[in-house]
Amino acid sequence: MLSFLTLLCILSAMMFPTFMICLFYPFSKRLALFWSNYITCRTARLLFACLKLYRKFDFIKYDDNLETLPKQFVVVSNHQSLFDIVVYLCFFGGLRTRFVAKDSLGTAPMVGKMLRTQGHCLIPRKGSPTVAMKKIDQFGERVMKNDLIPVVFPEGTRSRDGELRTFYAAGFRRLAQSTKLPVAVCALDGGWNISNINTIFKNLKRGAYRVKVLKVYDAPQNKEEELHILEEGKELIQKQLDEWRN
């Protein structure tokens, strides 16, 4: 019964703004953007409120380091679930947070239109690296022009078992070079338990999603500093995951 109520509340929260985005997207980007912002600022928080109320699923944000963050920065994080997007929208604020994501998300009825309307970076899975780098350069320009907080997942794909995968440098390095921003390394955990429909309600009960800023680096000035951030950042994330799970 509680699973049904949880699903009903989530669907109720999402259906109307989703309908409005789909309705306005073809002919009014302004109105589509309004409803996209509504989802990222209000519906994302409502989603976690529903999960906490009906399934005792917590969103635990360790915000001790938030006050020390610069005004604008690049986020480097591990990646476990599509819910990671919702987590960072709640953690950093939906109006400024933008993601580097695969372009296949652009075909989803709500998510795709929301990502396109808000100017997120959609990277083609198939195509030349030159095209991907051009997309990131254009994204970097939007980030700087609109005072945004870009989030990049160097693993490139979700970790379905929660274990850290290889961090790929190309996308992060290009974004770092195009924005010249400080870098905040963040860890999150909990998404891999609810990454598919077969396990979501089984593992939601009394589960938790955790997120924390681990370290802030000055804007990297060269390739060596960029690679150092990725290497040390991965070690910091792994250490934090081990601590949470123990």
Side-chain angles (χ1 to χ4, degrees):
M1 182 62 178
L2 288 180
S3 295
F4 174 76
L5 288 175
T6 304
L7 180 61
L8 182 61
C9 288
I10 292 174
L11 290 177
S12 298
M14 300 298 289
M15 284 179 64
F16 181 70
T18 298
F19 170 76
M20 297 303 286
I21 290 177
C22 294
L23 176 65
F24 289 117
Y25 182 81
F27 59 88
S28 177
K29 293 296 189 292
R30 182 179 63 83
L31 290 175
L33 179 61
F34 171 83
W35 286 105
S36 295
N37 290 340
Y38 180 90
I39 288 177
T40 56
C41 293
R42 299 188 181 183
T43 309
R45 297 181 184 278
L46 181 60
L47 170 63
F48 278 114
C50 291
L51 294 178
K52 183 175 179 62
L53 177 63
Y54 292 107
R55 299 299 294 175
K56 309 301 181 186
F57 185 87
D58 279 326
F59 172 42
I60 304 173
K61 56 179 182 178
Y62 300 85
D63 53 8
D64 298 348
N65 295 329
L66 285 181
E67 294 182 357
T68 65
L69 288 171
K71 179 182 178 182
Q72 196 178 10
F73 50 91
V74 174
V75 176
V76 170
S77 171
N78 59 315
H79 189 23
Q80 297 182 352
S81 163
L82 286 177
F83 279 101
D84 296 349
I85 292 177
V86 183
V87 166
Y88 281 122
L89 289 174
C90 292
F91 195 53
F92 291 121
L95 287 179
R96 295 184 64 205
T97 309
R98 299 293 186 270
F99 297 90
V100 178
K102 57 186 179 182
D103 64 347
S104 58
L105 289 178
T107 62
M110 178 198 71
V111 176
K113 290 180 174 59
M114 185 182 75
L115 294 177
R116 294 183 186 281
T117 300
Q118 293 184 325
H120 296 258
C121 183
L122 300 179
I123 302 295
R125 280 293 190 181
K126 297 180 180 180
S128 69
T130 302
V131 174
M133 294 302 104
K134 184 177 180 180
K135 289 280 188 180
I136 293 176
D137 287 342
Q138 293 170 344
F139 178 57
E141 293 177 4
R142 293 197 298 274
V143 164
M144 299 310 297
K145 179 180 179 181
N146 299 298
D147 190 27
L148 303 175
I149 299 173
V151 180
V152 60
F153 302 112
E155 290 168 288
T157 189
R158 291 169 284 166
S159 173
R160 298 185 183 277
D161 58 5
E163 299 300 318
L164 274 183
R165 299 177 182 271
T166 300
F167 274 25
Y168 297 99
F172 163 70
R173 289 191 57 220
R174 192 68 173 226
L175 183 60
Q177 292 165 12
S178 64
T179 60
K180 305 296 184 182
L181 290 175
V183 179
V185 172
C186 299
L188 54 76
D189 196 27
W192 64 279
N193 279 317
I194 54 173
S195 60
N196 63 73
I197 197 66
N198 295 324
T199 60
I200 185 169
F201 285 113
K202 175 183 176 182
N203 294 327
L204 272 177
K205 184 65 174 178
R206 301 192 184 281
Y209 227 125
R210 304 172 188 271
V211 61
K212 183 178 182 179
V213 177
L214 303 180
K215 185 174 180 177
V216 180
Y217 296 85
D218 292 333
Q221 301 300 312
N222 50 54
K223 178 180 178 181
E224 288 70 26
E225 292 183 6
E226 293 161 359
L227 295 178
H228 171 71
I229 290 174
L230 280 186
E231 181 179 352
E232 185 176 82
K234 184 178 179 181
E235 294 175 356
L236 292 172
I237 293 172
Q238 184 62 66
K239 182 179 179 181
Q240 185 62 69
L241 294 178
D242 292 340
E243 180 181 324
W244 281 336
R245 293 170 186 178
N246 289 335

